[in-house]
Amino acid sequence: MKDTVCEIAEDKRGALVTFEDGETLWFSRDAWREHAPISIGAEEDVDGLKVWLLPRQYPEALNYAVSLLAVRARASGEIRQKLRQRRYMDDTIEMVEYKLEKEKLLDDEAFAREWAASCARRQMGKSRILQELRRKGISRELCEQALEELDGEESGAAAVALAAKLLRRYAKEPDQRKAMGKLLSAMARRGYGYEESRRAVEAALDEIEEA
């Protein structure tokens, strides 16, 4: 399919070529130098350019993805988003994702389980954890599975610790009913449901009395 080049935006990383139908193709600096000159107003074979670009984009995109994973574990949706932000083609992104999954560098199930446990330790309730995982592109099925596998005792202890911290924060509030409302609202913002928050407050009060 041929289309007319309507815009070329160059920077230190390379060049972004935009065609009249709105499609864009990203050329790294090396690929831009290697390819025959492309100019505004020229008619180009878009499909042919994609075929030419794929083996050149793939190693660059893969190296970038691996560098992201070296910093911390990521969901496949995060990797896709980062690669799209760099203007890599969908075919390139699919190849990178396939390679990372094959090498076991991407595993959404394991990521969801570990991220959920980490959030629970940081005093987040299940609804907040669900939001965090969905934002990272994890499927609802894997989110729910990760939440079911949370250590109930550890999650409960984190909720009690948060309740105790909030009790200290609102201890000087003259209106105790108002103080409790603020406390429960704060816990709700952290993703805890009413019943879970109430149990955590009761447990925190018992601990304070014992102390």
Side-chain angles (χ1 to χ4, degrees):
M1 179 190 75
K2 289 198 169 183
D3 199 359
T4 304
V5 177
C6 64
E7 185 179 349
I8 297 174
E10 291 189 63
D11 61 24
K12 62 182 181 182
R13 286 186 55 240
L16 183 67
V17 179
T18 303
F19 297 89
E20 285 188 346
D21 70 352
E23 186 158 17
T24 59
L25 290 178
W26 168 257
F27 291 73
S28 69
R29 179 57 59 189
D30 288 342
W32 188 241
R33 287 170 178 161
E34 181 184 349
H35 195 274
I38 297 175
S39 57
I40 294 174
E43 254 199 1
E44 296 286 345
D45 178 0
V46 180
D47 292 334
L49 283 174
K50 288 179 179 179
V51 170
W52 186 87
L53 273 173
L54 186 59
R56 291 162 176 82
Q57 282 193 355
Y58 172 67
E60 299 168 3
L62 180 61
N63 287 338
Y64 176 56
V66 170
S67 73
L68 292 172
L69 291 166
V71 176
R72 68 165 174 83
R74 295 175 190 265
S76 57
E78 291 182 282
I79 294 295
R80 282 194 299 273
Q81 182 182 26
K82 290 288 188 181
L83 293 176
R84 285 188 182 121
Q85 287 173 351
R86 290 228 169 181
R87 305 286 191 168
Y88 289 116
M89 299 184 298
D90 288 343
D91 287 348
T92 303
I93 295 171
E94 286 177 14
M95 283 182 63
V96 169
E97 191 173 352
Y98 174 78
K99 176 66 172 177
L100 294 174
E101 288 175 352
K102 185 178 178 182
E103 298 297 327
K104 311 234 180 272
L105 295 173
L106 266 187
D107 183 338
D108 279 359
E109 183 177 350
F111 175 86
R113 185 168 55 247
E114 292 164 11
W115 189 266
S118 172
C119 287
R121 288 192 294 271
R122 288 185 281 124
Q123 300 173 347
M124 290 186 196
K126 288 187 175 182
S127 65
R128 176 74 178 274
I129 295 172
L130 177 61
Q131 290 176 0
E132 294 285 325
L133 288 172
R134 292 293 285 160
R135 192 177 294 123
K136 292 181 180 299
I138 301 296
S139 71
R140 180 167 288 276
E141 181 183 357
L142 288 181
C143 289
E144 291 173 354
Q145 182 178 318
L147 293 175
E148 286 174 6
E149 293 177 9
L150 282 175
D151 185 320
E153 189 174 331
E154 187 176 37
S155 299
V160 172
L162 176 61
K165 181 169 68 176
L166 293 170
L167 281 168
R168 290 191 295 271
R169 179 183 299 175
Y170 299 119
K172 294 183 180 179
E173 174 68 54
D175 186 334
Q176 287 303 300
R177 175 180 259 180
K178 191 174 182 181
M180 188 56 64
K182 288 181 178 179
L183 185 153
L184 292 174
S185 294
M187 293 198 72
R189 288 193 294 274
R190 300 285 293 183
Y192 292 100
Y194 174 77
E195 285 300 322
E196 189 176 13
S197 298
R198 182 182 61 78
R199 289 193 299 270
V201 170
E202 289 174 355
L205 287 170
D206 287 344
E207 288 182 359
I208 291 170
E209 286 178 10
E210 288 175 8

